């Protein structure tokens, strides 16, 4: 009888995790923003903001615009990303045909991409030594948190609990462990006295330039199927 009771308790404990179903977001966008604070111990006045990447996705297709750091309104580079491959798009105007890009451009692994959104298979450094922090609320959203402290760096991670997953994540392994989406990383370098905040900002709508490309490709594909 005791064994049956113990079995039932174990079953109830793991049931929420085994029944949890992830939902893939089919359409939307992601902005990656980084704020860098110099001489952070003296205050947060010396700050520079960088718009690292503008990701727009439809299913498993991603159009990424990499803004110019000096002029964020100008896109320095455009990439077409599908599955684990990416293709540089030479002409990022609205008439680009994504299937032709995949045919004519040499595919490269996203793990090797150095600009814009960085895709990584690596685990967070010293992840095993993380320490759980109390939940907090930022911008009206409740986050789970954990920290990693080392002699050279102090970092806090903010995970938004959700079943909806995006086609891009900073560290997918942490999202799986915490059942949510890693949306913010605050890191302080103790040697250089530089504080860096990296934010992943999901949005429902595409950029205007991405909308032109997706709409044009939908038109081209619909004509082919007629």
């Amino acid at each position: 009888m005791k064994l049956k009771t113990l079995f039932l308790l174990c079953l109830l404990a793991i049931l929420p995790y085994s029944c949890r179903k992830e939902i893939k977001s089919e359409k939307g966008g992601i902005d990656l923003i980084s704020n860098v604070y110099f001489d952070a111990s003296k205050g947060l006045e010396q700050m520079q903001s960088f718009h690292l990447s503008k990701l727009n996705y439809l299913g498993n297709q991603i159009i990424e615009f990499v803004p110019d750091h000096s002029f964020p309104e100008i896109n320095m580079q455009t990439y077409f990303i599908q599955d684990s491959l990416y293709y540089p798009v030479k002409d990022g105007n609205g008439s680009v045909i994504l299937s032709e890009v995949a045919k004519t451009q040499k595919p490269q692994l996203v793990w090797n991409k150095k600009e814009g959104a960085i895709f990584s298979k690596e685990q967070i450094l010293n992840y095993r030594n993380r320490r759980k922090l109390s939940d907090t609320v930022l911008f009206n959203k409740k986050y789970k948190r954990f920290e990693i402290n080392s002699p050279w760096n102090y970092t806090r991670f903010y995970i938004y609990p959700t079943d909806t997953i995006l086609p891009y994540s900073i560290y997918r392994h942490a999202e799986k462990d915490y059942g949510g989406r890693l949306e913010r990383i605050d890191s302080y370098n103790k040697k250089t006295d530089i504080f860096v905040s990296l934010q992943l900002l999901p949005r429902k709508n595409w950029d205007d330039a991405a909308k032109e490309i997706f709409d044009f490709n939908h038109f081209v594909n619909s004509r082919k199927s007629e």
Side-chain angles (χ1 to χ4, degrees):
M1 189 66 180
K2 288 183 178 180
L3 288 175
K4 286 184 178 180
T5 303
L6 183 60
F7 174 77
L8 286 172
L9 289 173
C10 291
L11 183 62
L12 289 172
I14 66 173
L15 193 58
Y17 298 94
S18 61
C19 292
R20 182 176 175 270
K21 185 178 180 180
E22 292 182 335
I23 303 168
K24 290 185 177 180
S25 178
E26 286 300 316
K27 174 184 175 181
I30 305 166
D31 288 304
L32 287 177
I33 307 290
S34 179
N35 294 324
V36 181
Y37 301 85
F38 305 93
D39 296 325
S41 63
K42 299 177 183 178
L44 302 179
E45 289 77 20
Q46 295 188 54
M47 186 271 283
Q48 192 168 357
S49 184
F50 300 95
H51 198 159
L52 302 178
S53 173
K54 295 184 286 185
L55 296 161
N56 303 269
Y57 61 90
L58 177 63
N60 66 336
Q61 294 185 328
I62 300 174
I63 297 170
E64 179 185 20
F65 300 114
V66 182
D68 186 290
H69 288 166
S70 300
F71 303 96
E73 64 278 5
I74 299 175
N75 294 321
M76 183 175 62
Q77 179 65 58
T78 303
Y79 294 113
F80 170 48
I81 303 170
Q82 189 166 27
D83 300 323
S84 60
L85 302 175
Y86 80 96
Y87 309 82
V89 179
K90 294 180 180 179
D91 188 0
N93 61 39
S95 60
V96 62
I97 301 176
L98 298 178
S99 59
E100 291 299 318
V101 171
K103 287 179 183 178
T104 57
Q105 295 288 336
K106 182 180 179 181
Q108 302 179 60
L109 291 172
V110 293
W111 322 115
N112 299 328
K113 190 164 72 69
K114 303 300 181 184
E115 294 178 319
I118 302 301
F119 291 74
S120 176
K121 292 182 179 180
E122 301 297 324
Q123 282 208 349
I124 298 169
L125 190 63
N126 293 322
Y127 184 65
R128 291 184 177 180
N129 298 325
R130 68 190 183 279
R131 187 174 75 90
K132 185 180 183 301
L133 296 173
S134 59
D135 295 349
T136 191
V137 175
L138 288 174
F139 309 111
N140 297 319
K141 295 172 71 174
K142 188 175 181 180
Y143 287 94
K144 297 178 182 179
R145 297 186 302 167
F146 65 90
E147 66 178 11
I148 297 176
N149 195 8
S150 71
W152 57 90
N153 214 51
Y154 175 78
T155 309
R156 283 186 175 180
F157 300 81
Y158 299 74
I159 296 178
Y160 174 61
T162 177
D163 289 335
T164 302
I165 62 171
L166 304 176
Y168 173 79
S169 61
I170 304 172
Y171 288 109
R172 183 73 179 116
H173 71 94
E175 295 185 338
K176 289 181 178 179
D177 289 345
Y178 285 86
R181 188 164 60 223
L182 180 57
E183 291 190 351
R184 184 183 179 112
I185 302 175
D186 290 341
S187 184
Y188 176 65
N189 189 307
K190 300 175 183 179
K191 292 183 178 180
T192 61
D193 195 23
I194 293 177
F195 176 79
V196 178
S197 179
L198 175 63
Q199 298 178 68
L200 183 153
L201 304 174
R203 48 184 161 81
K204 295 181 180 179
N205 300 319
W206 296 324
D207 294 319
D208 290 340
K211 185 178 187 306
E212 285 188 32
I213 295 175
F214 281 130
D215 287 348
F216 179 72
N217 278 262
H218 175 73
F219 169 75
V220 171
N221 293 332
S222 63
R223 290 293 297 273
K224 286 181 180 179
S225 61
E226 290 179 357

